[in-house]
């Protein structure tokens, strides 16, 4: 797997917005890799939707189609509440300006857009690697999803550190109504609480991987993300 397009500096900054804990460099690489896996899946789905229309530039409607077709990438609810694209779908496209206590109108930044445009260079690099182009609105949407997702990873990893491990009592398996649940994969066994090694001040690779297991609820994308993140962290540690 190539180096993640999302810079370690941007990822680390997102973690600092959430927690005072130190984040190890391999953990930062793992978080960048997981984010790349998610965005790659979304971009591939949007590209397929655009190809069906015979257009070459990705637009927000292609993002919506990609998410509709693959529920495993539907992970950025906090961004959807802010995004003009998804607000319009809900019939709630009014301005996000709200009156302050003094009566003047000021834009309130939600936690979903703290560090806005932070991941835009990585999004553009990822689009180039797939040889696809996107309109500015699509780049903004992908940047927002990446920002919210990394923030969620940071919160989850910090929680794992505080609680000394993560409890997993099963897996989320997506099925259509009326369809039987597939057999449990050997890679997804039922497990009790996993003990955590290390201090309570540092987020490590394992903490990011544990956070990934409940940020990505779909078994297919989760296993792919975990595998690629382990490879990225190992490659960095071996360099």
């Amino acid at each position: 797997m190539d180096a993640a397009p999302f810079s370690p500096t941007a990822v680390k900054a997102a973690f600092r917005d959430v927690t005072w804990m130190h984040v190890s460099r391999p953990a930062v690489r793992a978080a960048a890799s997981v984010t790349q896996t998610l965005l790659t899946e979304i971009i591939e789905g949007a590209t397929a939707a655009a190809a069906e229309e015979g257009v070459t530039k990705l637009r927000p409607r292609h993002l919506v189609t990609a998410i509709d077709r693959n529920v495993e990438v539907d992970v950025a609810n906090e961004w959807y509440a802010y995004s003009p694209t998804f607000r319009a779908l809900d019939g709630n496209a009014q301005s996000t300006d709200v009156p302050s206590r003094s009566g003047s109108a000021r834009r309130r930044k939600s936690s979903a857009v703290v560090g806005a445009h932070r991941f835009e260079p990585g999004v553009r690099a990822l689009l180039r690697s797939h040889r696809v182009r996107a309109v500015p609105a699509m780049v903004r949407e992908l940047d927002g999803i990446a920002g919210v997702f990394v923030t969620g990873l940071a919160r989850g990893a910090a929680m794992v550190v505080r609680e000394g491990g993560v409890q997993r009592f099963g897996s989320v398996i997506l099925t259509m109504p009326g369809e039987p649940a597939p057999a449990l994969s050997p890679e997804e066994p039922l497990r009790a609480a996993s003990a955590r090694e290390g201090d309570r001040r540092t987020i490590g690779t394992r903490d990011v991987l544990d956070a990934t297991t409940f940020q990505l609820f779909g078994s297919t994308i989760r296993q792919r993300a975990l595998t690629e993140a382990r490879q990225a962290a190992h490659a960095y540690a071996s360099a």
Side-chain angles (χ1 to χ4, degrees):
M1 178 178 173
D2 297 333
F6 300 106
S7 77
T9 300
V11 173
K12 192 169 185 178
F15 272 71
R16 285 177 174 170
D17 287 340
V18 172
T19 177
W20 54 267
M21 296 177 188
H22 173 69
V23 188
S24 73
R25 291 180 179 179
V28 169
R29 265 63 179 188
S33 174
V34 172
T35 307
Q36 178 181 355
T37 300
L38 171 66
L39 268 291
T40 294
E41 194 79 13
I42 293 174
I43 288 172
E44 289 176 350
T47 301
E52 291 173 3
E53 294 183 5
V55 299
T56 58
K57 273 192 176 183
L58 303 187
R59 299 180 180 277
R61 67 175 179 271
H62 303 135
L63 169 64
V64 175
T65 299
I67 292 174
D68 283 344
R69 292 178 176 178
N70 184 1
V71 69
E72 291 192 2
V73 301
D74 188 6
V75 298
N77 291 330
E78 191 175 352
W79 170 248
Y80 303 154
Y82 182 84
S83 157
T85 298
F86 290 91
R87 286 166 63 86
L89 289 176
D90 291 336
N92 184 23
Q94 69 266 26
S95 170
T96 54
D97 288 346
V98 295
S100 68
R101 291 184 179 179
S102 64
S104 61
R106 296 179 181 177
R107 181 175 296 275
R108 177 181 298 166
K109 257 190 176 181
S110 73
S111 59
V113 289
V114 170
H117 308 296
R118 178 179 285 161
F119 295 97
E120 185 173 320
V123 167
R124 292 187 181 280
L126 198 54
L127 288 167
R128 286 195 299 271
S129 72
H130 284 75
R131 299 181 180 181
V132 295
R133 296 182 299 163
V135 299
M138 180 65 167
V139 174
R140 181 194 61 227
E141 296 291 350
L142 294 172
D143 169 60
I145 290 173
V148 168
F149 181 71
V150 175
T151 298
L153 276 182
R155 289 172 180 157
M159 182 184 71
V160 171
V161 174
R162 288 194 302 269
E163 296 185 357
V166 60
Q167 291 191 3
R168 296 190 64 204
F169 298 98
S171 303
V172 176
I173 300 175
L174 304 177
T175 62
M176 295 297 291
E179 291 184 355
L184 189 65
S185 166
E187 297 179 349
E188 292 287 334
L190 295 176
R191 294 189 292 199
S194 61
R196 178 184 180 274
E197 298 177 355
D199 60 49
R200 296 295 181 91
R201 300 181 300 276
T202 302
I203 294 175
T205 302
R206 176 62 185 272
D207 303 316
V208 171
L209 296 179
D210 282 344
T212 299
T213 64
F214 47 84
Q215 288 294 315
L216 294 176
F217 56 86
S219 60
T220 302
I221 190 171
R222 182 172 58 208
Q223 284 304 318
R224 177 182 163 195
L226 291 173
T227 298
E228 294 178 350
R230 290 189 186 101
Q231 293 172 348
H234 178 73
Y236 174 80
S238 302

